[in-house]
Amino acid sequence: MAKITNEIKEIEFWEHETLENIYFTIYQDLNKMIEGLNSKDKIKDDWINAFNRVDKKRQNSDFARGAERIYFWLFSQFGKPNSSPIGADMFFETHRAFVHIDIKTAKLDNPSDYKGKIPISENQTSYSSKKKRFNTNLPVYYNEGKKNQKLCLTYVINIVYHEEGDNFKIKAIYLIAIPNGALYSVYGDDVIGQGKVKGKSFRFVYKNNPHFELIKGKPYRVKRIFLDEDIKEKDIIGFEL
């Protein structure tokens, strides 16, 4: 491992602090979140036929879009939204950082999109590798070197759902912190897996190192928000919190 500077320690500190803040924002309104995510069922008869006519990939994207609306609602007081065209589904400016939060949905029968790993696109990360080549469009800092410099922090809310006919049941929801690009010297290539689009994405294999390595006690980079009672945590994230 390369020399760990105070700057790198500070980046990881704020990464962890922001993870806890996001978790608190969600968890304090947990019932509100679940009700919101299930609100689609009230009018299912009016959208299910159109939904079933599109391909499976488009269905997953549409399912995620519906979930995004609920999280925009829940995060209304989290920070100031930013209109940058390059970034995650939700993008906020806080006192300390610019924070990207992406909503990722995965079908229970497609573990390539969960089970200890999460697909990350070029507009959702600053983490890059010299050995495993893929593009990243986010900076380590916004306005680096300027008076208004702020960290770029990235997170994912991973929703795993099960489809039974025309019914869609949420089985698990996890919050995951993606390392800032400056932390490559800490996490290296061990957390990098093959992406969905060659050269433009990677899978963050957090199960290979799910901890904040530089924080006392090494807390997890993963927070459980919801887990259905008939699902084992290890089957969703690859380990037990």
Short mmCIF file of all heavy atoms in Angstrom, two decimals, residues 171-217:
data_model
loop_
_atom_site.label_atom_id
_atom_site.label_comp_id
_atom_site.label_asym_id
_atom_site.label_seq_id
_atom_site.Cartn_x
_atom_site.Cartn_y
_atom_site.Cartn_z
N LYS A 171 -37.13 -6.99 -2.29
CA LYS A 171 -36.55 -7.99 -1.40
C LYS A 171 -35.41 -7.42 -0.54
O LYS A 171 -35.18 -7.90 0.57
CB LYS A 171 -36.01 -9.17 -2.21
CG LYS A 171 -37.02 -9.80 -3.17
CD LYS A 171 -38.26 -10.30 -2.45
CE LYS A 171 -38.00 -11.55 -1.65
NZ LYS A 171 -39.25 -12.08 -1.04
N ALA A 172 -34.71 -6.43 -1.06
CA ALA A 172 -33.59 -5.87 -0.30
C ALA A 172 -33.23 -4.48 -0.82
O ALA A 172 -33.37 -4.21 -2.01
CB ALA A 172 -32.37 -6.78 -0.39
N ILE A 173 -32.77 -3.63 0.10
CA ILE A 173 -32.27 -2.30 -0.26
C ILE A 173 -31.01 -2.05 0.55
O ILE A 173 -31.04 -2.14 1.79
CB ILE A 173 -33.31 -1.19 0.01
CG1 ILE A 173 -34.63 -1.48 -0.70
CG2 ILE A 173 -32.75 0.17 -0.43
CD1 ILE A 173 -35.73 -0.49 -0.36
N TYR A 174 -29.93 -1.74 -0.13
CA TYR A 174 -28.65 -1.46 0.54
C TYR A 174 -28.06 -0.15 0.03
O TYR A 174 -28.22 0.20 -1.14
CB TYR A 174 -27.65 -2.60 0.31
CG TYR A 174 -27.92 -3.81 1.18
CD1 TYR A 174 -28.90 -4.73 0.82
CD2 TYR A 174 -27.24 -4.00 2.37
CE1 TYR A 174 -29.18 -5.82 1.63
CE2 TYR A 174 -27.51 -5.09 3.19
CZ TYR A 174 -28.48 -6.00 2.82
OH TYR A 174 -28.77 -7.07 3.62
N LEU A 175 -27.38 0.54 0.93
CA LEU A 175 -26.67 1.77 0.61
C LEU A 175 -25.18 1.47 0.59
O LEU A 175 -24.66 0.85 1.53
CB LEU A 175 -26.99 2.84 1.65
CG LEU A 175 -26.20 4.15 1.60
CD1 LEU A 175 -26.49 4.91 0.31
CD2 LEU A 175 -26.53 5.01 2.82
N ILE A 176 -24.50 1.89 -0.47
CA ILE A 176 -23.09 1.52 -0.67
C ILE A 176 -22.27 2.76 -0.99
O ILE A 176 -22.67 3.58 -1.83
CB ILE A 176 -22.96 0.50 -1.82
CG1 ILE A 176 -23.83 -0.73 -1.54
CG2 ILE A 176 -21.51 0.10 -2.04
CD1 ILE A 176 -24.21 -1.51 -2.78
N ALA A 177 -21.12 2.90 -0.35
CA ALA A 177 -20.20 4.01 -0.61
C ALA A 177 -19.14 3.56 -1.60
O ALA A 177 -18.43 2.58 -1.37
CB ALA A 177 -19.54 4.47 0.68
N ILE A 178 -19.01 4.28 -2.71
CA ILE A 178 -17.99 4.01 -3.72
C ILE A 178 -16.75 4.83 -3.36
O ILE A 178 -16.86 6.04 -3.13
CB ILE A 178 -18.46 4.40 -5.13
CG1 ILE A 178 -19.88 3.89 -5.40
CG2 ILE A 178 -17.48 3.90 -6.18
CD1 ILE A 178 -20.05 2.41 -5.33
N PRO A 179 -15.57 4.24 -3.32
CA PRO A 179 -14.37 5.02 -2.96
C PRO A 179 -14.10 6.16 -3.94
O PRO A 179 -14.24 6.01 -5.15
CB PRO A 179 -13.24 3.99 -3.01
CG PRO A 179 -13.90 2.66 -2.90
CD PRO A 179 -15.24 2.82 -3.55
N ASN A 180 -13.72 7.29 -3.40
CA ASN A 180 -13.24 8.41 -4.20
C ASN A 180 -11.97 7.98 -4.94
O ASN A 180 -11.21 7.13 -4.46
CB ASN A 180 -12.96 9.59 -3.27
CG ASN A 180 -12.40 10.80 -3.99
OD1 ASN A 180 -11.21 10.85 -4.30
ND2 ASN A 180 -13.24 11.78 -4.24
N GLY A 181 -11.73 8.57 -6.10
CA GLY A 181 -10.58 8.19 -6.91
C GLY A 181 -9.24 8.32 -6.21
O GLY A 181 -8.29 7.59 -6.51
N ALA A 182 -9.15 9.24 -5.24
CA ALA A 182 -7.89 9.42 -4.51
C ALA A 182 -7.57 8.23 -3.61
O ALA A 182 -6.44 8.09 -3.13
CB ALA A 182 -7.96 10.69 -3.67
N LEU A 183 -8.55 7.36 -3.40
CA LEU A 183 -8.36 6.21 -2.51
C LEU A 183 -7.91 4.95 -3.25
O LEU A 183 -7.87 3.87 -2.67
CB LEU A 183 -9.66 5.92 -1.75
CG LEU A 183 -10.15 7.05 -0.84
CD1 LEU A 183 -11.49 6.69 -0.22
CD2 LEU A 183 -9.13 7.35 0.24
N TYR A 184 -7.54 5.11 -4.52
CA TYR A 184 -7.05 3.95 -5.27
C TYR A 184 -5.84 3.32 -4.59
O TYR A 184 -5.67 2.10 -4.59
CB TYR A 184 -6.70 4.34 -6.71
CG TYR A 184 -6.13 3.19 -7.51
CD1 TYR A 184 -6.96 2.20 -8.03
CD2 TYR A 184 -4.75 3.07 -7.72
CE1 TYR A 184 -6.45 1.13 -8.74
CE2 TYR A 184 -4.22 2.01 -8.43
CZ TYR A 184 -5.07 1.04 -8.94
OH TYR A 184 -4.55 -0.03 -9.63
N SER A 185 -5.01 4.14 -3.97
CA SER A 185 -3.82 3.62 -3.29
C SER A 185 -4.19 2.74 -2.09
O SER A 185 -3.37 1.95 -1.61
CB SER A 185 -2.93 4.78 -2.82
OG SER A 185 -3.63 5.62 -1.91
N VAL A 186 -5.42 2.86 -1.62
CA VAL A 186 -5.90 2.06 -0.49
C VAL A 186 -6.58 0.78 -0.96
O VAL A 186 -6.31 -0.32 -0.46
CB VAL A 186 -6.88 2.87 0.38
CG1 VAL A 186 -7.40 2.03 1.55
CG2 VAL A 186 -6.21 4.14 0.89
N TYR A 187 -7.45 0.89 -1.97
CA TYR A 187 -8.29 -0.24 -2.39
C TYR A 187 -7.82 -0.92 -3.67
O TYR A 187 -8.17 -2.08 -3.91
CB TYR A 187 -9.74 0.23 -2.52
CG TYR A 187 -10.29 0.74 -1.22
CD1 TYR A 187 -10.30 2.11 -0.94
CD2 TYR A 187 -10.75 -0.13 -0.25
CE1 TYR A 187 -10.77 2.59 0.28
CE2 TYR A 187 -11.22 0.33 0.97
CZ TYR A 187 -11.22 1.70 1.23
OH TYR A 187 -11.67 2.16 2.44
N GLY A 188 -7.05 -0.22 -4.48
CA GLY A 188 -6.44 -0.82 -5.66
C GLY A 188 -7.42 -1.45 -6.62
O GLY A 188 -8.57 -1.02 -6.77
N ASP A 189 -6.97 -2.52 -7.28
CA ASP A 189 -7.77 -3.21 -8.28
C ASP A 189 -8.62 -4.34 -7.71
O ASP A 189 -9.42 -4.94 -8.43
CB ASP A 189 -6.86 -3.79 -9.38
CG ASP A 189 -6.21 -2.71 -10.22
OD1 ASP A 189 -6.86 -1.66 -10.44
OD2 ASP A 189 -5.06 -2.90 -10.66
N ASP A 190 -8.46 -4.62 -6.42
CA ASP A 190 -9.20 -5.73 -5.81
C ASP A 190 -10.71 -5.51 -5.86
O ASP A 190 -11.48 -6.47 -5.84
CB ASP A 190 -8.77 -5.93 -4.35
CG ASP A 190 -7.36 -6.47 -4.24
OD1 ASP A 190 -6.85 -7.00 -5.25
OD2 ASP A 190 -6.77 -6.38 -3.15
N VAL A 191 -11.12 -4.25 -5.89
CA VAL A 191 -12.56 -3.95 -5.86
C VAL A 191 -13.11 -3.66 -7.25
O VAL A 191 -14.25 -3.20 -7.39
CB VAL A 191 -12.85 -2.77 -4.91
CG1 VAL A 191 -12.49 -3.13 -3.48
CG2 VAL A 191 -12.11 -1.51 -5.35
N ILE A 192 -12.32 -3.92 -8.28
CA ILE A 192 -12.74 -3.63 -9.65
C ILE A 192 -13.07 -4.93 -10.38
O ILE A 192 -12.25 -5.84 -10.47
CB ILE A 192 -11.64 -2.87 -10.42
CG1 ILE A 192 -11.39 -1.51 -9.78
CG2 ILE A 192 -12.03 -2.71 -11.89
CD1 ILE A 192 -10.24 -0.74 -10.41
N GLY A 193 -14.29 -5.01 -10.89
CA GLY A 193 -14.72 -6.14 -11.70
C GLY A 193 -15.12 -5.68 -13.08
O GLY A 193 -15.20 -4.48 -13.36
N GLN A 194 -15.40 -6.62 -13.95
CA GLN A 194 -15.77 -6.30 -15.33
C GLN A 194 -17.07 -5.52 -15.37
O GLN A 194 -18.05 -5.86 -14.72
CB GLN A 194 -15.91 -7.58 -16.14
CG GLN A 194 -16.19 -7.34 -17.62
CD GLN A 194 -16.21 -8.63 -18.42
OE1 GLN A 194 -15.87 -9.69 -17.91
NE2 GLN A 194 -16.59 -8.54 -19.69
N GLY A 195 -17.08 -4.46 -16.17
CA GLY A 195 -18.25 -3.61 -16.30
C GLY A 195 -19.24 -4.11 -17.34
O GLY A 195 -18.97 -5.06 -18.07
N LYS A 196 -20.37 -3.43 -17.42
CA LYS A 196 -21.39 -3.78 -18.41
C LYS A 196 -21.00 -3.30 -19.80
O LYS A 196 -21.30 -3.95 -20.80
CB LYS A 196 -22.74 -3.18 -18.01
CG LYS A 196 -23.43 -3.90 -16.86
CD LYS A 196 -24.84 -3.38 -16.68
CE LYS A 196 -25.63 -4.23 -15.72
NZ LYS A 196 -27.04 -3.81 -15.60
N VAL A 197 -20.37 -2.13 -19.86
CA VAL A 197 -19.95 -1.54 -21.14
C VAL A 197 -18.44 -1.39 -21.12
O VAL A 197 -17.89 -0.64 -20.31
CB VAL A 197 -20.62 -0.17 -21.38
CG1 VAL A 197 -20.19 0.39 -22.73
CG2 VAL A 197 -22.14 -0.29 -21.30
N LYS A 198 -17.76 -2.10 -21.99
CA LYS A 198 -16.30 -2.10 -22.00
C LYS A 198 -15.74 -0.69 -22.17
O LYS A 198 -16.14 0.05 -23.06
CB LYS A 198 -15.79 -3.00 -23.13
CG LYS A 198 -14.28 -3.19 -23.12
CD LYS A 198 -13.83 -4.15 -24.21
CE LYS A 198 -12.32 -4.34 -24.19
NZ LYS A 198 -11.87 -5.27 -25.25
N GLY A 199 -14.83 -0.34 -21.28
CA GLY A 199 -14.16 0.95 -21.36
C GLY A 199 -14.93 2.10 -20.75
O GLY A 199 -14.40 3.20 -20.60
N LYS A 200 -16.21 1.86 -20.39
CA LYS A 200 -17.03 2.95 -19.87
C LYS A 200 -17.67 2.62 -18.52
O LYS A 200 -18.51 3.38 -18.03
CB LYS A 200 -18.12 3.31 -20.87
CG LYS A 200 -17.59 3.93 -22.16
CD LYS A 200 -18.72 4.43 -23.04
CE LYS A 200 -18.18 5.14 -24.27
NZ LYS A 200 -19.28 5.69 -25.11
N SER A 201 -17.29 1.51 -17.94
CA SER A 201 -17.89 1.12 -16.67
C SER A 201 -17.05 0.05 -15.99
O SER A 201 -16.13 -0.51 -16.59
CB SER A 201 -19.32 0.59 -16.90
OG SER A 201 -19.29 -0.64 -17.60
N PHE A 202 -17.36 -0.20 -14.73
CA PHE A 202 -16.78 -1.33 -14.01
C PHE A 202 -17.78 -1.76 -12.95
O PHE A 202 -18.77 -1.07 -12.69
CB PHE A 202 -15.43 -0.96 -13.38
CG PHE A 202 -15.51 -0.08 -12.16
CD1 PHE A 202 -15.38 -0.61 -10.89
CD2 PHE A 202 -15.69 1.30 -12.28
CE1 PHE A 202 -15.44 0.20 -9.75
CE2 PHE A 202 -15.75 2.11 -11.15
CZ PHE A 202 -15.63 1.56 -9.89
N ARG A 203 -17.56 -2.92 -12.40
CA ARG A 203 -18.37 -3.35 -11.26
C ARG A 203 -17.56 -3.14 -9.99
O ARG A 203 -16.43 -3.64 -9.89
CB ARG A 203 -18.81 -4.81 -11.41
CG ARG A 203 -20.02 -4.99 -12.32
CD ARG A 203 -20.46 -6.45 -12.39
NE ARG A 203 -21.75 -6.60 -13.06
CZ ARG A 203 -21.93 -6.65 -14.37
NH1 ARG A 203 -20.87 -6.57 -15.17
NH2 ARG A 203 -23.14 -6.79 -14.89
N PHE A 204 -18.12 -2.39 -9.06
CA PHE A 204 -17.48 -2.21 -7.77
C PHE A 204 -17.74 -3.46 -6.94
O PHE A 204 -18.86 -3.71 -6.50
CB PHE A 204 -18.05 -0.97 -7.07
CG PHE A 204 -17.53 -0.75 -5.67
CD1 PHE A 204 -16.18 -0.89 -5.38
CD2 PHE A 204 -18.39 -0.40 -4.65
CE1 PHE A 204 -15.70 -0.70 -4.09
CE2 PHE A 204 -17.93 -0.20 -3.36
CZ PHE A 204 -16.58 -0.35 -3.08
N VAL A 205 -16.70 -4.27 -6.79
CA VAL A 205 -16.83 -5.55 -6.08
C VAL A 205 -16.54 -5.29 -4.60
O VAL A 205 -15.46 -5.60 -4.09
CB VAL A 205 -15.89 -6.62 -6.67
CG1 VAL A 205 -16.21 -8.00 -6.08
CG2 VAL A 205 -16.01 -6.66 -8.19
N TYR A 206 -17.52 -4.72 -3.92
CA TYR A 206 -17.30 -4.29 -2.54
C TYR A 206 -17.12 -5.45 -1.57
O TYR A 206 -16.51 -5.30 -0.51
CB TYR A 206 -18.43 -3.37 -2.07
CG TYR A 206 -19.82 -3.95 -2.14
CD1 TYR A 206 -20.33 -4.72 -1.11
CD2 TYR A 206 -20.63 -3.70 -3.24
CE1 TYR A 206 -21.62 -5.23 -1.17
CE2 TYR A 206 -21.91 -4.21 -3.31
CZ TYR A 206 -22.40 -4.98 -2.27
OH TYR A 206 -23.68 -5.49 -2.34
N LYS A 207 -17.60 -6.64 -1.94
CA LYS A 207 -17.43 -7.78 -1.04
C LYS A 207 -15.96 -8.15 -0.85
O LYS A 207 -15.60 -8.78 0.14
CB LYS A 207 -18.21 -8.99 -1.56
CG LYS A 207 -17.69 -9.57 -2.87
CD LYS A 207 -18.53 -10.76 -3.33
CE LYS A 207 -18.03 -11.32 -4.66
NZ LYS A 207 -18.86 -12.46 -5.12
N ASN A 208 -15.10 -7.73 -1.80
CA ASN A 208 -13.67 -8.01 -1.67
C ASN A 208 -12.99 -7.15 -0.61
O ASN A 208 -11.92 -7.51 -0.10
CB ASN A 208 -12.96 -7.81 -3.01
CG ASN A 208 -13.29 -8.91 -4.00
OD1 ASN A 208 -13.89 -9.92 -3.65
ND2 ASN A 208 -12.90 -8.73 -5.25
N ASN A 209 -13.59 -6.01 -0.32
CA ASN A 209 -13.09 -5.14 0.76
C ASN A 209 -14.22 -4.20 1.14
O ASN A 209 -14.28 -3.06 0.67
CB ASN A 209 -11.86 -4.36 0.31
CG ASN A 209 -11.18 -3.67 1.49
OD1 ASN A 209 -11.77 -3.52 2.56
ND2 ASN A 209 -9.94 -3.23 1.30
N PRO A 210 -15.12 -4.64 2.01
CA PRO A 210 -16.33 -3.86 2.31
C PRO A 210 -16.16 -2.84 3.42
O PRO A 210 -17.16 -2.30 3.91
CB PRO A 210 -17.32 -4.95 2.72
CG PRO A 210 -16.47 -5.99 3.38
CD PRO A 210 -15.16 -5.98 2.62
N HIS A 211 -14.94 -2.56 3.83
CA HIS A 211 -14.71 -1.69 4.98
C HIS A 211 -14.10 -0.34 4.58
O HIS A 211 -13.47 -0.21 3.54
CB HIS A 211 -13.76 -2.36 5.98
CG HIS A 211 -14.23 -3.67 6.48
ND1 HIS A 211 -15.14 -3.79 7.51
CD2 HIS A 211 -13.93 -4.94 6.10
CE1 HIS A 211 -15.38 -5.07 7.75
NE2 HIS A 211 -14.66 -5.79 6.89
N PHE A 212 -14.29 0.65 5.46
CA PHE A 212 -13.52 1.89 5.38
C PHE A 212 -12.18 1.58 6.05
O PHE A 212 -12.08 1.56 7.28
CB PHE A 212 -14.24 3.02 6.11
CG PHE A 212 -15.42 3.59 5.38
CD1 PHE A 212 -16.71 3.22 5.73
CD2 PHE A 212 -15.25 4.51 4.36
CE1 PHE A 212 -17.80 3.76 5.07
CE2 PHE A 212 -16.34 5.05 3.69
CZ PHE A 212 -17.62 4.67 4.05
N GLU A 213 -11.17 1.36 5.26
CA GLU A 213 -9.89 0.88 5.78
C GLU A 213 -9.19 1.88 6.69
O GLU A 213 -8.40 1.49 7.55
CB GLU A 213 -8.97 0.52 4.61
CG GLU A 213 -9.32 -0.78 3.92
CD GLU A 213 -9.08 -2.00 4.80
OE1 GLU A 213 -8.12 -1.99 5.59
OE2 GLU A 213 -9.87 -2.95 4.72
N LEU A 214 -9.45 3.16 6.51
CA LEU A 214 -8.70 4.18 7.24
C LEU A 214 -9.47 4.76 8.42
O LEU A 214 -8.97 5.64 9.12
CB LEU A 214 -8.30 5.32 6.29
CG LEU A 214 -7.56 4.90 5.02
CD1 LEU A 214 -7.20 6.12 4.19
CD2 LEU A 214 -6.31 4.09 5.35
N ILE A 215 -10.68 4.27 8.65
CA ILE A 215 -11.50 4.75 9.76
C ILE A 215 -11.34 3.81 10.95
O ILE A 215 -11.32 2.58 10.79
CB ILE A 215 -12.99 4.83 9.36
CG1 ILE A 215 -13.17 5.73 8.13
CG2 ILE A 215 -13.85 5.33 10.52
CD1 ILE A 215 -12.83 7.17 8.35
N LYS A 216 -11.23 4.35 12.14
CA LYS A 216 -11.08 3.54 13.34
C LYS A 216 -12.22 2.53 13.45
O LYS A 216 -13.39 2.87 13.32
CB LYS A 216 -11.07 4.43 14.58
CG LYS A 216 -10.80 3.68 15.87
CD LYS A 216 -10.75 4.63 17.06
CE LYS A 216 -10.48 3.86 18.35
NZ LYS A 216 -10.43 4.78 19.53
N GLY A 217 -11.85 1.28 13.68
CA GLY A 217 -12.85 0.22 13.77
C GLY A 217 -13.25 -0.36 12.43
O GLY A 217 -13.99 -1.34 12.37
#
